[in-house]
Amino acid sequence: MSGRKRQPLAVIEGKGRSNHITKAEAEKRRKHEERMKGRTDSIVAPDYLTKKQREEFDEIAEQLIELEIFSNLDIDNLARYIDSRDQYIRVTKELRAIKPVRKKENNTFSNDEYAKLMRVRNRLFEECRQSATDLGLSISSRLKLVIPEKEKEEVSEFDRKFGNV
């Protein structure tokens, strides 16, 4: 489906652009969005993570639950993020131990092992970045989830006395 991404109703209302949505449609969307949130009753780190990774999983999951953007359905995504991040760190440490060029006699050559590890590292970085964005772990992805506060309009004397205010 092309076009703009569908925004949550609260975001649309917070921006003050909800005049195109009827009250019935708004209620229907609100109920649908509530059902789509997912439960948070069985969030446990997967067994394939190491003990250290499980601790990190629990820490991040707790923060995401507080933000109300994490559910049972996101467990594998977070586990994959933590695993690929861990691999990224290991590859980066290996890269530091390898020189990018090697010298033989009076000639300088590029180190093929270094180039291979750089490609692996770049792939792992992209995987981590995409997972972080999907989970709301980056500042830009969280800002997209923030619900703007609705500006208070000044209420006239007439509206205070006779309106629904």
Side-chain angles (χ1 to χ4, degrees):
M1 188 161 104
S2 62
R4 284 187 263 167
K5 291 183 180 178
R6 184 176 173 144
Q7 293 181 323
L9 181 62
V11 171
I12 294 169
E13 288 174 339
K15 290 179 179 178
R17 298 184 181 151
S18 60
N19 14 351
H20 68 283
I21 299 173
T22 65
K23 288 181 181 181
E25 184 181 343
E27 186 57 32
K28 183 180 175 183
R29 281 181 75 165
R30 197 172 279 111
K31 287 179 182 177
H32 177 73
E33 288 171 11
E34 191 60 37
R35 281 195 324 263
M36 292 297 110
K37 266 189 174 179
R39 297 190 325 246
T40 57
D41 58 347
S42 60
I43 294 177
V44 179
D47 293 337
Y48 59 84
L49 295 177
T50 65
K51 183 181 180 194
K52 185 179 176 185
Q53 288 174 331
R54 281 193 293 254
E55 289 170 4
E56 186 178 0
F57 177 96
D58 292 339
E59 187 178 311
I60 294 172
E62 184 179 315
Q63 292 176 36
L64 292 172
I65 291 168
E66 263 181 49
L67 294 173
E68 297 181 2
I69 59 172
F70 192 71
S71 73
N72 299 344
L73 303 171
D74 302 311
I75 291 171
D76 253 1
N77 290 339
L78 180 57
R80 280 192 296 271
Y81 164 75
I82 290 170
D83 187 51
S84 62
R85 182 176 172 270
D86 191 46
Q87 290 179 43
Y88 172 83
I89 291 168
R90 279 193 254 151
V91 169
T92 300
K93 286 177 182 177
E94 288 293 322
L95 270 170
R96 288 186 186 139
I98 298 174
K99 294 183 180 180
V101 293
R102 55 188 172 89
K103 292 184 179 185
K104 191 173 186 180
E105 297 170 14
N106 290 337
N107 296 324
T108 304
F109 300 96
S110 66
N111 187 341
D112 292 338
E113 291 303 311
Y114 186 85
K116 288 177 186 176
L117 276 179
M118 278 298 290
R119 283 192 295 275
V120 170
R121 186 180 118 176
N122 288 342
R123 261 187 257 133
L124 287 169
F125 174 80
E126 274 304 309
E127 191 177 306
C128 284
R129 188 190 58 75
Q130 185 59 51
S131 296
T133 300
D134 291 347
L135 289 164
L137 298 178
S138 67
I139 185 69
S140 58
S141 61
R142 272 194 312 282
L143 287 175
K144 291 177 186 174
L145 300 171
V146 170
I147 300 169
E149 290 184 31
K150 200 169 190 175
E151 290 181 27
K152 283 193 172 183
E153 295 178 24
E154 233 178 273
V155 181
S156 69
E157 183 70 27
F158 178 82
D159 284 340
R160 263 193 299 253
K161 289 182 179 178
F162 305 107
N164 291 336
V165 182

